[in-house]
Amino acid sequence: MVVRLFVDDELSVDADVALVDNQHHYLAHVMRSEIGDAVLLFNGKDGEWSAVIEDISKKKTLLKIEKQTRKQNEENLSDVWLCFSLIKKENMHLIIQKATELGVSVLQPVISHRSVVSNVSVEKMRLQAIEAAEQSERLSVPQINEAISMKKMIENWDLDRKLYFLDERGEGEILVHSSKVAYLVGPEGGFDIQELDLMRGLKFATPLHFGRRILRAETACFAVLSVHNYLSGWH
């Protein structure tokens, strides 16, 4: 299996890339890579490139880029956001990981009334998203925003983007395909009545009915993204 890594470097033929710290440790000590081994690199803008290990020293691994293997425009992801209420950290990790695999472009943590945590590390979430992008062969890493209150999110909403919010009371509409869309999923225990009433009063927001079963917050995220991908024809 060829190792695949996200880097911040510009990628082009014959460019050198030096890996240090965790990526160097991963290649040299976890994967036990050797000089001459191939590595795939991507940076979210230049596509995917094949590189070869030229040197492994105590503190870094040096790669030489040989050729492009995929162009950036081959990814063809839909413009979909996932707005999710803060939940337990281990379950939030699952949301970041699976949403990245399912192709979201933006992840927006939301502080709602029943959120069980009030702050999260964007840097930790980004590292989780990078790992998921490397594993799933994405060519990009989703943008991850700072956690904000639901009120602030609504106040700054782009009115050109359709917003669906999952309504566990079962009074919403059935999901239809939309090319510029966001999905808002509530916390453990769901949105409170005031939050649901607030969302129902917004012209740009639509309640979404997602079956009779009450889903866990992380399950609801995976389910709605999977249906979105099916309707959009994404593959």
Side-chain angles (χ1 to χ4, degrees):
M1 181 185 71
V2 178
V3 175
R4 189 170 185 273
L5 297 174
F6 175 86
V7 295
D8 292 319
D9 305 65
E10 299 288 332
L11 302 177
S12 60
V13 174
D14 291 332
D16 294 320
V17 176
L19 303 180
V20 297
D21 299 330
N22 290 339
Q23 289 183 324
H24 163 65
H25 175 79
Y26 177 71
L27 279 179
H29 303 293
V30 178
M31 298 304 294
R32 298 187 181 278
S33 300
E34 300 178 348
I35 293 174
D37 285 353
V39 178
L40 292 175
L41 303 175
F42 69 107
N43 61 6
K45 56 184 178 181
D46 296 326
E48 181 186 78
W49 296 75
S50 176
V52 64
I53 297 177
E54 288 200 323
D55 185 57
I56 302 176
S57 63
K58 185 176 181 180
K59 294 186 177 181
K60 68 179 180 180
T61 299
L62 183 63
L63 307 176
K64 173 73 76 173
I65 296 179
E66 293 188 324
K67 63 180 179 179
Q68 188 175 49
T69 53
R70 294 167 64 195
K71 294 182 178 180
Q72 190 67 33
N73 60 13
E74 291 181 25
E75 188 163 55
N76 194 30
L77 296 180
S78 57
D79 184 6
V80 55
W81 293 19
L82 177 65
C83 306
F84 59 96
S85 299
L86 301 184
I87 59 175
K88 294 176 182 177
K89 290 186 177 180
E90 60 269 25
N91 295 336
M92 203 145 49
H93 180 187
L94 276 177
I95 290 177
I96 300 297
Q97 180 187 70
K98 301 308 179 185
T100 299
E101 293 176 12
L102 289 167
V104 298
S105 54
V106 173
L107 287 158
Q108 176 61 68
V110 178
I111 303 168
S112 57
H113 181 70
R114 292 174 178 161
S115 293
V116 296
V117 294
S118 59
N119 60 79
V120 290
S121 169
V122 171
E123 182 57 29
K124 285 184 179 179
M125 288 194 293
R126 185 171 185 273
L127 292 175
Q128 293 164 356
I130 286 173
E131 182 179 347
E134 291 172 342
Q135 181 275 329
S136 63
E137 299 192 359
R138 272 190 68 155
L139 293 176
S140 63
V141 175
Q143 174 184 322
I144 301 178
N145 296 333
E146 294 281 354
I148 58 174
S149 67
M150 186 179 296
K151 180 176 181 294
K152 186 174 181 181
M153 183 189 76
I154 290 170
E155 290 174 346
N156 295 282
W157 194 258
D158 175 7
L159 298 181
D160 290 333
R161 180 173 299 279
K162 187 175 183 64
L163 174 63
Y164 283 106
F165 63 96
L166 273 64
D167 184 351
E168 64 272 14
R169 292 187 297 187
E171 300 174 4
E173 299 181 10
I174 301 299
L175 180 61
V176 295
H177 171 60
S178 181
S179 58
K180 188 177 181 182
V181 65
Y183 300 102
L184 173 61
V185 179
E188 297 157 348
F191 297 115
D192 65 20
I193 297 299
Q194 289 77 18
E195 289 171 331
L196 285 172
D197 288 342
L198 173 63
M199 296 298 295
R200 284 181 173 275
L202 300 173
K203 292 182 178 180
F204 58 83
T206 301
L208 182 63
H209 175 53
F210 218 65
R212 296 182 178 180
R213 296 185 182 90
I214 301 299
L215 304 179
R216 293 177 63 95
E218 63 273 22
T219 305
C221 291
F222 314 150
V224 73
L225 290 174
S226 296
V227 174
H228 170 89
N229 286 342
Y230 174 77
L231 294 176
S232 66
W234 175 78
H235 60 277

